[in-house]
Amino acid sequence: MPAQIYHLIAFLLAAVVVLWTTPDVKNIGIKSGRLDKPDDRKVHQRPMVRLGGVSIFAGTIISLLVVWWLGGFGFLPADKEWQIWGVTLGGLAFFLIGLADDLFNLSPSVRLLIQTLVAACAWKAGVSIDFLSIPTGGLIHLGWLSLPITIIWLVGMVNAINWIDGLDGLAAGVSGIAAMVMLIVALFMQQPGAALIAAALSGATFGFLRYNFNPAQIFMGDGGSYFIGFTLASVGVIGLVKIPAVTAVLLPYLILAVPIVDMSTVILGRISQGKSPFLADKTHLHHRLLEAGLSHRLTVLFIYSLTLWVGSLALAIAGIPSGTVYACGSTSLLSYTSWRAWRRVR
């Protein structure tokens, strides 16, 4: 069986599991009273179940286990197979941290401490950034700096996806687009192990949009956003950053530029105002677009197009055939959504 068939199986099976299990998870959340209630900072107007991450996690993991059972890991070297299990176990740990936060409302300091410990374990398992690229200096090996830089990357992406999860379908759609781009790039770079994880995650997130796009029926919660953030960051590490090429090392940061820039801008803004970087406010990109007069759906679609645009740039930089065509097409789409947004603001 061609290796690419396993990636298709992972994508489709993850989507089916999410579509099948999400209504049951919603019913369980309603009966248990685990609801996200509206407040001044949140956009939704009625209590919502925030346990959708259970379905996303189940869909991703079940699809990978089925692919493994079918022999889909058999074409991978031993170290690549171990990296998949390392990402899976790390994803499980981050999912449980987020789920505990959904259920028991952990303090920011406790969350950050546990996230750091799990990221350190993932680094030990091989999910590590071993070198960085300098535009004029090539690749620089990090040595002992690999550990803190890997932790910053993994924990940072976990919280970036969590922070962008502020509108119906926003985090799921942005993550699905990023995972699909990573799938294409990883296959082109001959990294089938990372591509398998990306395929499963993209299927799960796109399937979840059936219930999460505006008007949402359920939220993914911290369990879902933590799992997605860690998985995306890890796929970028094992599938692209470990390739000794300057362009490959830069690709994950470009693909995930939207949540990275959003989080960085918000943190710098809070610090410049003398506030804690962890203090929740309404200064994220989606908040600003809503305040400017855009509708809920147009805000989400505009950020989708922005994510697709940076992803298409990554395809072009990676040298994928027709990558420039995709970049031109996504530029046209972004121009159209920008025009629609400008008209709405006017």
Side-chain angles (χ1 to χ4, degrees):
M1 183 184 298
Q4 288 76 12
I5 296 298
Y6 292 114
H7 298 89
L8 180 60
I9 293 173
F11 177 88
L12 294 176
L13 185 58
V16 169
V17 170
V18 171
L19 290 170
W20 181 38
T21 59
T22 301
D24 293 330
V25 172
K26 177 185 175 183
N27 291 333
I28 292 172
I30 292 175
K31 292 178 181 178
S32 64
R34 300 296 181 179
L35 302 175
D36 188 6
K37 298 179 181 180
D39 59 29
D40 293 338
R41 192 181 66 85
K42 297 175 182 177
V43 176
H44 62 282
Q45 303 298 319
R46 57 190 176 88
M48 296 285 292
V49 176
R50 53 177 300 174
L51 299 176
V54 174
S55 296
I56 296 174
F57 171 77
T60 305
I61 299 303
I62 289 174
S63 65
L64 288 175
L65 289 174
V66 170
V67 169
W68 170 75
W69 178 72
L70 292 174
F73 289 10
F75 60 89
L76 298 174
D79 61 325
K80 297 295 183 181
E81 183 175 351
W82 171 243
Q83 286 178 351
I84 293 181
W85 293 120
V87 173
T88 303
L89 293 174
L92 169 62
F94 270 99
F95 166 72
L96 292 176
I97 298 170
L99 184 62
D101 190 32
D102 289 328
L103 298 177
F104 307 112
N105 195 23
L106 303 177
S107 68
S109 57
V110 171
R111 291 199 307 265
L112 185 61
L113 175 61
I114 301 175
Q115 289 171 3
T116 301
L117 293 175
V118 174
C121 293
W123 172 84
K124 185 67 175 178
V127 185
S128 59
I129 300 175
D130 300 318
F131 39 74
L132 294 177
S133 63
I134 304 298
T136 58
L139 298 176
I140 297 179
H141 290 270
L142 295 175
W144 64 271
L145 288 175
S146 171
L147 176 59
I149 289 178
T150 300
I151 290 175
I152 291 172
W153 168 247
L154 295 177
V155 174
M157 277 311 308
V158 164
N159 289 283
I161 297 299
N162 179 251
W163 286 7
I164 205 174
D165 185 26
L167 297 180
D168 296 353
L170 181 57
V174 168
S175 301
I177 293 170
M180 181 59 68
V181 173
M182 283 190 173
L183 166 62
I184 297 171
V185 174
L187 286 175
F188 180 74
M189 296 288 186
Q190 299 182 356
Q191 299 292 319
L196 274 175
I197 304 174
L201 183 64
S202 59
T205 49
F206 283 139
F208 187 66
L209 279 178
R210 163 66 178 79
Y211 305 101
N212 186 236
F213 193 73
N214 182 259
Q217 304 174 40
I218 187 173
F219 294 160
M220 69 171 62
D222 289 349
S225 61
Y226 283 15
F227 171 72
I228 291 172
F230 173 80
T231 306
L232 284 173
S234 298
V235 170
V237 171
I238 69 173
L240 301 175
V241 173
K242 285 186 175 295
I243 300 175
V246 173
T247 54
V249 172
L250 293 174
L251 291 178
Y253 313 111
L254 180 58
I255 296 171
L256 297 168
V258 171
I260 290 173
V261 172
D262 178 67
M263 182 181 70
S264 303
T265 303
V266 169
I267 289 177
L268 292 175
R270 292 172 182 172
I271 293 176
S272 65
Q273 296 175 11
K275 301 178 181 178
S276 167
F278 303 106
L279 179 65
D281 56 23
K282 300 183 72 172
T283 59
H284 291 279
L285 174 61
H286 53 273
H287 290 132
R288 296 179 183 276
L289 292 175
L290 288 175
E291 291 174 0
L294 271 64
S295 66
H296 191 123
R297 286 196 172 189
L298 183 55
T299 297
V300 172
L301 293 174
F302 173 78
I303 298 177
Y304 282 0
S305 65
L306 191 60
T307 306
L308 185 61
W309 178 66
V310 294
S312 67
L313 293 180
L315 296 180
I317 292 174
I320 292 176
S322 302
T324 303
V325 176
Y326 301 145
C328 292
S330 65
T331 301
S332 300
L333 177 62
L334 179 61
S335 300
Y336 173 72
T337 55
S338 299
W339 173 73
R340 286 287 303 275
W342 177 79
R343 284 193 59 187
R344 185 61 182 260
V345 171
R346 287 292 298 272

